[in-house]
Amino acid sequence: MNNINVVLNGKPVVGIEGESILDLAKRFGYEIPTLCHDPRLEPFSSCFVCVVHVEKMRGMQPSCSTKIAEGMVIDTESEEVQKSRKSALDLLLSNHYADCVAPCKMTCPAGVDVQGYISLIEKGLYSEAIGLIKQTNPLPAICGRVCVRPCEVACRRNLLDENTGVGIDYLKRFAADKDLESSDHYKPNVAPSTGKKIAIIGGGPGGLSAAYFLQQKGHQCDIYEAAPAPGGWLRYGIPEYRLPNDLIDSEIETITELGVNIFCNVKLGENLSYKDLRDTYDATVITIGSQKGTLVGVEGDDAENVFSGIDFLRNMEITKQVYDFKGKTVAVVGGGNTAMDCCRTSIRCGADKVYVIYRRTEKEMPANPIEIHESKLEGVEYLFLTNPTKVNKDENGRLKSVTCVTMELGEPDASGRRRPVPKEGSEHDIELDFLLAAIGQKTDATFIDDINEFAKNGSFKLNKWGDVDANPNTFETGIPGVFSAGDCVSGPATVIEAIYQARIASQSCHQYLTGQPIVNEHFEFISKRDHFKEQKKDDYLPLFKKQLREEMPVLDADKRMNFVEVELGYSNAEVAKHETGRCLECGCAAYYTCDLKKYATEYKAEQKHYSGDFKEYHVDFSHPFIEIDNNKCILCGRCIRICREVVGANALGFVNRGFDTYVAPSMGQSLTETSCESCGMCISTCPTAAISENKFFKPGPVQTETFTTTCSYCSVGCTLEYHHVKGFLTGVEGAGGLINKDGNICRMPRFGYSLFNNQERITKPILKKDGKFVEISLPEALDLIQSKITSVQPDENVFFAGARLTNEELYLVQKFARTAAGTNNVTSFHYLERGKGYHFNTTDNVPFEQIGGAKRIILFGSEINRENAVAGFMVQQAKHKKGALLEVITTNEEHRTAHKADKVTRISSYHAFIQAVNHYLISNNKQNMLYINDRTSGFADYSSKLLKTNYHTLLEKAGVSQIALEEFANNFNDVHESVLIYSEKHIDAYTASEIAALGMITGKSGKTSAGIIALKESANSQGVIDMGICPKTGPGSVSLNNAEYIQRLQQQWNINALPEIKDYSLVEQMKNYRIKNLFIFGEDPVGCAVDQKETEDMLFNSGFVCVQDVFMTPTAKAADLVLPMNLPFEEGGSYTNTQKFIQSFEKKIQAGTTSSNIGILNGLMKTFGLKTYQEYADVNDEIIAVLPQKKSKPEFIFTSEDRHLRRFNHGCDGIRQMYCQFFNSAFQK
Amino acid sequence: MGKIKILVGYASCGIAAGAGKVYETLLDIRNNEHADFELKKTGCIGMCFREPLIEVIDESGAYLYGGVDEARTMEIYTKHVKLDEPVKEYLVKTDLFETGDENFFRRQIKIALRNCGVIDPEQIAEYIETGGYSAIGKILIENLSQEQVIQMVMDSGLRGRGGGGFSTGLKWRFAYNSPGKDKYVICNADEGDPGAFMDRSLLEGDPHAVIEGMIIGAYCIGANEGVIYCRAEYPLAIKRLNIAIEQAREKGFLGKNIFGKENFHFDMYVKEGAGAFVCGEETALIASIEGERGMPRRRPPFPAVSGLYKKPTNINNVETWANVPWIISNGPEKYAQYGTEKSKGTKVFALAGKINNGGLVEVPMGITIKDIIFELGGGIQGGKQFKAVQLGGPSGGCIPSYLSNTIVDYDSVNATGAIMGSGGMVVMDETTCMVDMAKFFLDFTQKESCGKCTFCRIGTKRMLEILVRITEGKGKEEDIAVLEELSQKIKDNSLCGLGQTAPNPVLTTLKYFRDEYIAHIVEKRCPAKVCKPLLTYTVIPEKCTGCTVCAKNCPTNCISGARKEIHFIDQEACIKCGMCFTKCKFDAIHIE
């Protein structure tokens, strides 16, 4: 590699020959955006977002595919480059008919992530839902009752036939109530104290919110409230039948518990002077609301018994006295929610007749429709198109009647509502006892003189409407350090609007206190379908099932003559979950991860800059796991290319030309009808959500936590990154570990994670009594096991440990069997009687990363893309990038990798084929004697036995012509970089021995990019062998006949003698009733049996069966005692992959079980008075101490026949079995 | 008396005009009357405007008859063949006297087209008779080295006739210098420009010239396999190519040890393309041959280094290949004597559009556009005013009439903003709306974009939308600026020539005919009276006779008026189909 001198952004730098500008820039810390490039793929250069300017080159250069050259002068950041990138994004966005964010969130004044919290409620994660809401709205329980719900109006569910939006507010209330009720309700983190103090004037929703946000930043917030109790209009304006006071108190407590102080009965300008505030506090936030009610505004409205509606409501709250309206007639003027509160309260005060006088029609009423509906149920009468013109008094100056005119609707006014105009000669009088005016409020800034007297560097002003004059963007007032938000700034508005303003004012206040510039500049690019066209019913109706809204249970109308809360809340979690099902999930699942959105934001791209025709596609849900939404596609072709270059499936392609181009599954209508392998690699590379995981739950999207661990599905040992919300797994990505360096993973972890969310985990020990399982305690379970073991002969016990167990667990199981139970009856169903050939077949294998250097790759039976797909990707890449020749040799007519091969050879016996190859090589003296003499043992014996067999009989048995076989043998021998890959799943242990012999005869084993790769089935199949889960070998796979080894074991295990090695077959022992107790750790022989009947007969001949597993597998269901088990990432430990890489992983999330796996094994050890272990590291130390110190030479073993004793599928792992069932059944729907 | 020879112009253009019937008539005559004349099919003679053509060659010379049909054929036979009296009125070319069509031939120098219209393309013997396969023969027999031959091609000054104009010799040298055992030569016969038919005519008329050129190219770079990538819409060309390849194989010009030269093995096949314009681009063409979607990729690596199946590959277009044998046979100096300093030799043009003599011509470089149009092309149809000529098809641009003194060479043409292209020359007169014309070409490239690059895929679409808007009278003043801005960005941000040149028709029309754009946008007027939404059809009262023909033919029944009374067109209902204008016998319909 030569060095290349280039000038990058004005600086001379040294690049590496062959490097792209993109890679060079990255190395030197310049981020170049790209949408079509994935380091796993060859450069494509279609998006033109990664362009840079190179001197003396025409136009812009896509940096992903422009290789650096000596003397290049590159500019990656010039204005011209930036403009070009923006234009590319503008163009892409002009045909990106998709929503980043759902209309509910877009419409919410406070920007609450509705879709996100609905998804959390769906999963029963109520506190997490509340945590999400409280990022922008600290009063969810209150808003869940009184919010005006613009979100529900915007909700697209309205477009469907049911005509009601999702019950967003009801759901919020449900979650908020659940959270408040719980002992562990949501609390935000509070930053360490900054030492700053803030005075907040007014304890209404604005003041409470400001305190909530600012206290979290570490500032001490003190609220000064003029009224006797905090809450503002929530308490004094909204009647209790809608919003109970104790609920207000509970929710306020979630704010005061952060350290916020509330001082009541203190009013600025009266018993509190700004001078004190100025001297004591670092900043002030004024959130006094709009407290002064306005009267009807007609002649005579000074009459007695004419009130402003809010005074009426407030007086009652302050005095705790209910007005006595018995037998009276009351009229409320106005059409908003305050009018509703007044009329419904009047009913509750016993009024005979309650009118609502409104000058327009019901359609124009700003009040919540539900309020209108309920008020009518309660007996309120409506006088629409009616307007009071005069209040008539009696002689005492008391209200007698009101004169009204009838109105007609004319032309629309500025608000878009039709303006009411009086009808001539329509005056009429209505006799009344009380008249309540609910037509508006005013800000009452009585402190203005006080504040201006003491303020420095500025003054506090009111605007022409009499509201506080504050910067609408930052909510700064004329006085530095004084901010104001809520109704007192905007005039009477909504709770949620006040909360929003308070949050921005808090942000400004925080900036002020921390000496930052006070700005509220935040550009986030949001793609909207509405930018393209109005959303219509027909766009959605065919896509969603009809589902009526879960209505809010209410008090019977006849039970409402009191102030008991009318709305009762959803009765249970099921109802809430069902309602979440109505959410159409309009917002994009890739909201947090989309590269297009990220760069559009970064470059301030505009969706409508180049607006024009756009493409609209149906979303393709036909594949159960992979969703294709062409609307979001930017045609970068990454999915097509990864499927071709890395997977080799070629399942996707471009269709049409020009603007009409789109990505679609090849030929067919659905991915399921193509050569798609459902690996999800397309999902992993899509920069948007055009190809995404079709999830079985509502993804939100919500922000998740992540952890990395080792995959527990197959023996490749990929590193995974799990995403979760409080233990609920939401997705898996490849993390780029020791094995899967480029982050590739296959379908098993990609889609298999959702099984782990299964609610039906075994969490406690259960014992079968009278055919039914009952819970027992762990000590009881352990005692039972002890008594079972000790009541029989040692060899009447047998222990099975599976290949999903960690090395440490496996080690402990065999140690327990050999020391506590005193038997060598320890094995796994996975390898039950499957022979020695699997013990050493991974020695000197070709490391995976050397597959890339191979020139010939032979898949010997292995359906690598199905069983060990990530290794399969390496094979495909060797083929695609380096042109390696791929040959499949199989006995299977329908081999599922054959279509990718350059050559397919069908044979009838793997064993005979390999023996014939070995026979040919030796008999023609083509063996590598130097290698054999130097590095192996047993060749002479092997070759003499082999040469006694008849070559032509072998050929006949193998079902292969002599020419073909010899061509294969010579090619394999002569092409240095030949790699033969096989899977234990298809190759019996005897054949495995013969393949090992081939590796030694040709002298390839252990050479670079040459030799054998043996693929084991399960995550820790290798560990099962290495940890001594075998009657005849101990840890390190050392024979228990080895005296030196026995001595070391005895010393380490602190015992005098190891149990005797028996030569019997455990299968025979079980079948012949010689086993009394069966202990099965993490295996599911019943569920995985090839012959279920035989397996059941074998297993349940014994007296007592104990199973430890994660789920109630068929074996667990049939057992007597079942112990809980944690998943690997809930426990920690290590796995040894099929290449003998030992990978440790830690406990990452807390399992719902009552015990840990090591805890149970320790418990067993303890019952027998044996050594226990604090943690996995202790176990590991002991394992290392017992392992053999030196490696023995690989041995030639001659086998006379094949011996295919496959009793169990899926490596006898119940979870893999479940996964396969889940996966396959998903396609049958 | 020697045998009389009759040639029938039997290329696609001739067949379309009725050469089939003429040929059959001659066959019948020969069979029925036991007439003794030699009858053969030949390729395109070039005078497409006079098809069908037959040429009678007797002792006294060659007589080319144009516009013949069955009756005229009979007449020519009866008079000329039997009575030796040439039929003057159908003659378009003869050495004996002037026919008025001489100008079409006078300035032509036929090198690439040397055999078109002369030999029977399906008979290898005829090609060999005219000196065919002697060029490769000379190379191999005289044992010229690869470098020597490449130098000859360099010396000839031959530049890529597909439009790029890159030095052919240099291109060969790159491929020759690329290390590797397996190399390929490819003939790009994916001619896709609307209005261009040079390659088709050449392949139909003289396939062996291309094959021989490729054999020479293969020898020079060391290729042993060749592919002719020909669009499937050219069935006759494909048929003749396959016949020619088969014949060349039989003669040993293709296959192993060609001309006995040891280790010189070369064979070729025809790959039919599905007719995607973008597949004319080298890398897309290669992808298409490999069985992939025809999508260009980034260069470098150039095909000379990594082409077909990632092996060194040399691609030349049909005309380039056809020139090669002539250059070898006649010497590079002879070729270089034609043309200008930097553009040597000849160039084939397909004349189309509003020109009198539409057809195929081969002219020396350096001739002016004006001469081609007015001398060879016979001027504008119907005596209308010459407005502009579009060179280079959708990737090219227009040259306005006032620049018609521009000479034909790569650099002079490029300087106008157009490109030489592969030789399509579409002539436009005063009735051509330049905005509409730009829209037509952009619509073409927009649809033919492979869809890969953002700017080409979406940018051209947005430009087209603006042009459509302008031609519908909905243009905005800022549209011109947006068109220019997008044009530049598309040129700067596209991988292949299709995108990089797609804005050219718009840019050149904006450069030379900006006032037409402004008329559309500001005055809502189409000066050429082409853009229908901008037109108003009215009845000229003085001329209307009340014949009712317009009203009867109006598809929307928007013309009212009683018989013998002046008619009236309802503008609201008028769909501007122009039917009334076409049908009126009294020129009483006014278009504004």
Side-chain angles (χ1 to χ4, degrees), chain B residues 535-539 550-551 554 556-561 567-577 580 589:
Chain B
L535 304 181
T536 15
Y537 291 80
T538 46
V539 176
C550 58
C554 176
T556 56
N557 293 323
C558 72
I559 304 179
S560 55
H567 282 48
F568 171 78
I569 301 173
D570 176 2
Q571 296 301 329
E572 290 280 299
C574 174
I575 56 163
K576 292 154 190 185
C577 65
C580 50
I589 304 291

Side-chain angles (χ1 to χ4, degrees), chain A residues 623-626 643 647 649 651 671-672 674-683 745-748 750-751 865-866 873 1219 1223 1227:
Chain A
H623 189 288
F625 298 105
I626 301 169
C643 192
V647 182
L671 256 189
T672 54
T674 66
S675 51
C676 171
E677 296 176 5
S678 305
C679 60
M681 287 285 277
C682 48
I683 298 172
I745 57 170
C746 73
R747 65 193 160 98
M748 288 201 256
R750 165 116 24 226
F751 305 121
N865 52 333
R866 313 288 300 188
F873 299 154
Y1219 170 75
F1223 186 82
F1227 285 90

